[in-house]
Amino acid sequence: MTEGVAAPRPTTRLERFWHSTVGKKVVMAATGLIMVAFVIGHVAGNLLVFAGPERINAYSAFLHGTGELLWLVRLVLLAAVVLHIISAYQLTRIDMRARPIAYTTRDPQVSTLAARTIRWGGVLLLVFIVFHLLHMTTGTVHPDFVPGDVYSNVVVAFRVWPVTLFYVLAMAALGLHLYHGTWSAFRTLGLVRPSAEPLQRRGAAAVAILVAGAFAAVPLAVALGLLR
Amino acid sequence: MTPLDSRVPAGPLAEKWDRHKFEMQLVNPANKRKHPIIVVGTGLAGASAAATLSELGYRVQCFCFHDSPRRAHSIAAQGGINAAKNYQNDGDSVFRLFYDTIKGGDFRAREANVYRLAQVSGNIIDQCAAQGVPFAREYGGLLANRSFGGAQVSRTFYARGQTGQQLLLGAYQALERQIGRGAVEMHPHTEMLDLVVVDGRARGIVVRDLVTGRIESYAAHAVVLATGGYGNVFFLSTNARNCNVTATWRAYKRGAAFGNPCFTQIHPTCIPVSGDYQSKLTLMSESLRNDGRVWVPARIGDARPPRDIPEDERDYFLERKYPSFGNLAPRDIASRAAKQACDEGRGVGPTRLGVYLDFADAIARVGAQAIRDRYGNLFDMYERITDENPYAVPMRIYPAVHYTMGGLWVDYNLMSTIPGLHVIGEANFSDHGANRLGASALMQGLADGYFVLPATIGDYLASTPFAPVDTSHPAFRAVEADVAERTTRLLGVRGNRTVDSFHRQLGKIMWEKCGMARTEAGLTEALADIPALREEFWRTVTVPGSGQELNQALEKAGRVADFLEFAELVCLDALHRTESCGGHFREESQTADGEALRDDAHFAYVAAWEYAGEGTAPVLNKEPLEFETVHLSQRSYK
Amino acid sequence: MDVTLRVWRQRGPSDPGGIVEYPATGVSPDASFLEMLDLVNEGLMARGEPPIAFAHDCREGICGACSLMIDGIAHGPMAGAATCQVHMRSFSDGATITIEPWRAAAFPVLKDLIVDRSALDRIIAAGGFVTAATGGAQDANAVLVPKEAADRAMDAAACIGCGACVAACPNASASLFTAAKVSHLGLMPQGQPERSRRVIRMVAQMDAEGFGDCTLFGECQDACPKEISIDVIARMHRDHMRAVWFGGEERAETGPG
Ligand SMILES: Cc1cc2nc3c(=O)[nH]c(=O)nc-3n(C[C@H](O)[C@H](O)[C@H](O)COP(=O)(O)OP(=O)(O)OC[C@H]3O[C@@H](n4cnc5c(N)ncnc54)[C@H](O)[C@@H]3O)c2cc1C
Ligand code: FES
């Protein structure tokens, strides 16, 4: 019965990497961290909105002025998102097959809400990102989009309360995603030292709260009339 | 049967093994593939043998009843493994280990075997270290040692409190490597139910696949039994629940002589029985006696809580009786002393069958933290089981059945009286005589499996002409029919008493009449009680379910049925040996101050019992023990 | 004390199985959980009914045989303990207790609460060893092992192969099991020559057996009776990356050994 250990097929390094769950997970982690870096940069820029229309619009103009660099960043981000989603999808399929019969009674002990909702949260974020790009980048679904006038685009957009609500909800999902994702990415990449309490994730909590909070601050500030 | 030939090589003790290795015939490397070998058991002995034989090039088929080879009972050994490395420069040597083992065994073991054991002990540690076994280390990176089980040198190697586990995993991993290469065919969840002997040689086994229930046969040139000990004949013991005597008992009934079945070891430091529901006893490592002090109230019936009993009203009986060894007196002696204290009415705890093992002095001396560092996991285990905190109140301990020195008789080549049937590890009558020293069973199992058997089995294979025999041979059909018939009978009784209730009752008889102290009267009673119980078993036992499925009740029933036969042999052996020696204490044979009194004039031999057929008394064969090197003396640990 | 059991009964691998209720009365709080099951089984057998099949052997938390999901927790409510170390005093009188087998595609149910865990053996066979055929070893003290490394290796080597990590993992991942062995051998000097080959083969086998991936829920560490830390998983990932990108190429094995 214990016979027939499958010897790994002689393949290229890349294939061997990608065909293992560890490899896919590493891809998820690495692409995840790219996106974490991006959202941190993104949210830092967003906060300029509180410094007034000139500052934020100038920042936007600066970004658009970088030309190829901007496209390079966009390309990297796109690749990261696509790889993140493909590996997530494939791993989810593997995981679902790994437990075809569920327990009738299940009492999770230490897994966090963030970890347990990471997949659906990810789907929600994907929907959000698409909406957000159509909303704030291309302006397709924006009621009164003015290219280059970020400040007004923001203020106008968040006067519609369902939009604000959607954004805030999405940011909650982002917070949860970051809370589990940032922490687990470092572990997945093996970038941790042995620890007496490996489950502690204070760093990830800080990133999650700061990023999600700062993102949500903008729509909330508009909704509350602090930005007009 | 031909007279027992121990085949001990000639020559000086220290040269026997080397000379023997040279004189034995070798199997040509190219021919090894042509010799299939069956190994039953994957404990330290079986796993190490199967892996090593396969490395040598033999075709190995390996069996265990566990679902994985890694779960063999060896996994539970806590304390450590001895080796005469003298790394501590404290005067150890091969000769000292040899001498300690012979003396510890109360001069009832074969000198040549024990000397060889001590000789290869160092190689075992080398081999295990090479496999990556995480032995305890000093800060400088050298191996750490501790003194253990009454030895006066530090020769015990250990891996936290999980030495057996780590050694077994080393052997298991070596075995899995061979399985992965396709060199060993592994059959887990498969129980050997009988041995097949063709033309006087062991040529195969009949097994039951425990998942499908299928009865199957396997043929080979040699069969190796590494099936462990039979301590569970006492029902309650420190052995894993599924340990049993079936493999060796079936081999006995096919002609293999059983050596010294009455030599059983009772371990002094186990958690006392707490109720009728109890299914097994838990050993607290012997190492606890390095720091714990054993005592009972001096006054009979003193029921005060232990901390309220003043120092001068306590009896530290081991320190009192054995001033030079104190709390580290050998197992048999410490166990008997505890029993005596309880018999006198000074036992402690709810059942009054317990003595204190007190760490208060050690805690006062070195601090609770140091004690926690040394024994933390043992203390936790104790608390988990008893719900008492041993840092605050003394532990309660009581002796329990732990190890069986007896087993199938083997010669110097580890071959039984059936040619081709080799027996290793706890399953053979072994090198421990009438009492085993702590940390020596792991040593023996691995010595047999890694170094001795792989050398000696070649001699048998090279010097034997093998007629082609496969499982279509009529002998296999006949044994398969026997096995099937037995299964059908067990399932067919359809009575109303459970298997466990019989096992429990058998255990009670054995513990009371063939336990720590044995008498002619008690043993005679047991010899009447056991057949009566066996008869009742076959009349009223209930075994639900069928034979064609995973059926734990059926597995257990077969094992208990064998225990019910085997127990009689244990008592018979105990009755015939009217001396006391090691773990075998006959009340009729003691010194004035209650110590075991050996009778070398009449009993310096191995009792090898030979099956003579159903309903006929077994035949006693004697292998005289000759002591050329050590001088027989009455053991004294005073 | 009296409790009500809700037990998964399944006659064989192809039987659909289901939950059956049994009362367990007059149980001593000092009895172990498995002794309570023994008691229930004695009752069943005395009535000629097949007992509840469950795996067990050492009953002291070391062999890794026992494997029950108790009220949705692998090995039940006690931390750092296997099923056999759980005592009835951990439950309240009158409780209803649900008992299920480990659930994973790689652990098919054989009967009632017994599952086939041979997948774990195959992961070891794929590379969880040091190639050191008997006989060639040098003196054990010739290779120094820093105490720190030996201690950490021992932490990982404490794994009893029970499969609770798989059972507790929402993904049914065997990462903790595999990583514990990768770490044990990877921390020892003796394990260095095969370090790359080992991790690649073991991970490949783990995947081939149909276990899930590691999302770092942390449930495995909590369920582990030996409290093995998920740190070992980080280590395995590190080793795996290094082996895949920088390790030597796998060659066909030559000669016996
Ligand atoms: C709690 C405890 C602690 C101990 N501590 C120490 C210690 O510190 N130091 C020390 O030296 N010794 C110790 N011992 C003793 C030592 O562990 C054993 O004597 C030794 O491990 C026995 O090894 P073995 O290979 O002979 O058999 P086992 O490990 O018992 O293996 C028996 C094997 O045979 C298989 N088997 C049995 N019957 C059949 C059958 N019919 N068909 C198929 N397969 C079968 C089983 O599946 C198993 O694989 C301890 C013992 C106990 C109980
Ligand atoms: S029965 Fe051995 S670990 Fe529980």
Side-chain angles (χ1 to χ4, degrees), chain A residues 5-29:
Chain A
V5 168
R9 287 168 296 139
T11 48
T12 64
R13 287 178 195 270
L14 180 64
E15 272 182 287
R16 218 184 285 161
F17 178 70
W18 178 250
H19 283 303
S20 72
T21 52
V22 173
K24 288 189 208 297
K25 198 77 207 187
V26 163
V27 167
M28 274 198 79

Side-chain angles (χ1 to χ4, degrees), chain C residues 185-196 198 235 242:
Chain C
L185 296 175
L187 280 157
M188 299 292 286
Q190 291 83 357
Q192 298 315 309
E194 286 166 292
R195 193 163 157 188
S196 292
R198 175 182 310 121
R235 206 186 149 81
R242 190 166 53 204

